[in-house]
Amino acid sequence: MRIIRTKNYEEMSRAAANIIAAQVYLKHNAVLGLATGSTPIGLYKDLIEKYEAGVLSFAEVHTVNLDEYKGLAPTHDQSYRYFMQHNLFDHIDVKPENTNVPDGLAADPAAECRRYDDLRETLGQTDIQLLGLGRNGHIGFNEPGPIFVKHTHVVDLTPSTIDANARFFASEADVPRQAITMGIGYIMSAHQILVVASGTDKADAVYKMVCGDVDPQVPASILQLHANVTLVADEAALSKVLEAGVPVC
Ligand code: GLP
């Protein structure tokens, strides 16, 4: 795992945006695996700036998002479809039909999960998969559990995730209890994986992801088995890794 240390959130965002931009420069029709959460907002802003400056186009890009809350409509302001439109898609030239987010309102969630996994065949290998990190080490909405779940699935969110995400809702009671998430198999099949992390509340999860055992109780730890992972994290998020003396760039 390549680890890039940045001073703060702004530097983390710039460094991570440059890695995604480089992918699109090199391959105009790249498949980008995208993520939500507060951490990637800054890097999406940087990508929008590059687009507005005329140095980057997403016209031929396809995107595949990791997850969606079950039961939220795409127009709900806390749905991940809404998040992506608001924070990226509405501001760049990606074609709407080339963007993919699980349908949280699907009448048959199991069929929706199968449809989502089939995207890997339709779109081909994801060139770069962006990941944030849950405080409990989740990636997408792959929560800690007894096994790594390979396929796209409906997941019961853990109390820790409901608590962490309650800040975006009027109250904790409004946080959906379930989500549809891409499984570990699709995530791990990406050519390259880019993890972003910022702040001390991620330090423990980052440490376990980098230095801990590969353990489904820390879903991000599976990334130790991927050959091409870059972690871009600020000093606060890296604090425990740095204390352990792990070499970073
Ligand atoms: C949600 C998303 C994850 C994201 C996590 C962390 O749970 N499903 O993909 O990584 O939040 O979010 P934040 O970046 O706001 O800490």
Side-chain angles (χ1 to χ4, degrees):
M1 189 179 295
R2 187 165 69 119
I3 303 176
I4 298 176
R5 169 185 22 187
T6 67
K7 278 202 181 58
N8 52 36
Y9 178 78
E10 288 68 32
E11 261 191 27
M12 179 212 75
S13 300
R14 203 170 320 123
N18 282 341
I19 291 171
I20 294 179
Q23 176 63 70
V24 179
Y25 293 138
L26 289 171
K27 189 177 173 192
H28 292 159
N29 61 349
V31 179
L32 306 180
L34 297 180
T36 56
S38 50
T39 313
I41 290 176
L43 80 87
Y44 289 152
K45 280 198 180 116
D46 279 27
L47 290 177
I48 293 166
E49 278 173 21
K50 289 182 198 301
Y51 165 71
E52 287 175 343
V55 294
L56 189 63
S57 169
F58 297 85
E60 293 176 52
V61 159
H62 285 76
T63 68
V64 194
N65 261 80
L66 288 164
D67 46 14
E68 179 59 284
Y69 286 114
K70 191 162 169 287
L72 294 196
T75 49
H76 188 290
D77 66 2
Q78 290 309 324
S79 77
Y80 285 170
R81 166 54 80 176
Y82 183 95
F83 174 101
M84 290 309 301
Q85 293 300 139
H86 186 71
N87 287 295
L88 184 65
F89 298 155
D90 287 347
H91 309 285
I92 58 174
D93 59 347
V94 68
K95 295 189 180 79
E97 64 272 25
N98 288 355
T99 67
N100 296 279
V101 180
D103 178 3
L105 291 184
D108 182 346
E112 173 62 3
C113 292
R114 285 195 299 277
R115 182 192 73 81
Y116 217 69
D117 274 336
D118 288 346
L119 288 175
R120 187 160 41 160
E121 310 309 321
T122 327
L123 301 178
Q125 186 183 24
T126 299
D127 291 289
I128 185 163
Q129 175 67 58
L130 174 65
L131 296 175
L133 208 51
R135 284 186 215 157
N136 62 4
H138 75 220
I139 46 178
F141 267 134
N142 289 277
E143 295 281 40
I147 55 162
F148 292 108
V149 182
K150 192 172 168 191
H151 298 289
T152 301
H153 57 286
V154 175
V155 63
D156 293 331
L157 300 180
T158 60
S160 142
T161 297
I162 292 166
D163 176 57
N165 292 358
R167 67 192 195 275
F168 300 114
F169 292 82
S171 76
E172 189 178 292
D174 293 329
V175 183
R177 268 35 189 176
Q178 287 188 311
I180 295 176
T181 185
M182 185 186 279
I184 295 295
Y186 201 159
I187 292 172
M188 288 291 280
S189 72
H191 177 66
Q192 186 184 354
I193 294 181
L194 172 62
V195 188
V196 287
S198 171
T200 42
D201 64 339
K202 297 295 171 69
D204 199 42
V206 169
Y207 175 77
K208 288 179 179 161
M209 173 181 78
V210 175
C211 305
D213 292 337
V214 175
D215 177 353
Q217 292 297 341
V218 184
S221 64
I222 192 83
L223 300 176
Q224 292 176 28
L225 304 183
H226 192 285
N228 191 353
V229 178
T230 302
L231 164 66
V232 182
D234 62 20
E235 285 170 359
L238 278 175
S239 53
K240 292 194 176 172
V241 169
L242 295 169
E243 267 167 38
V246 175
V248 301
C249 305

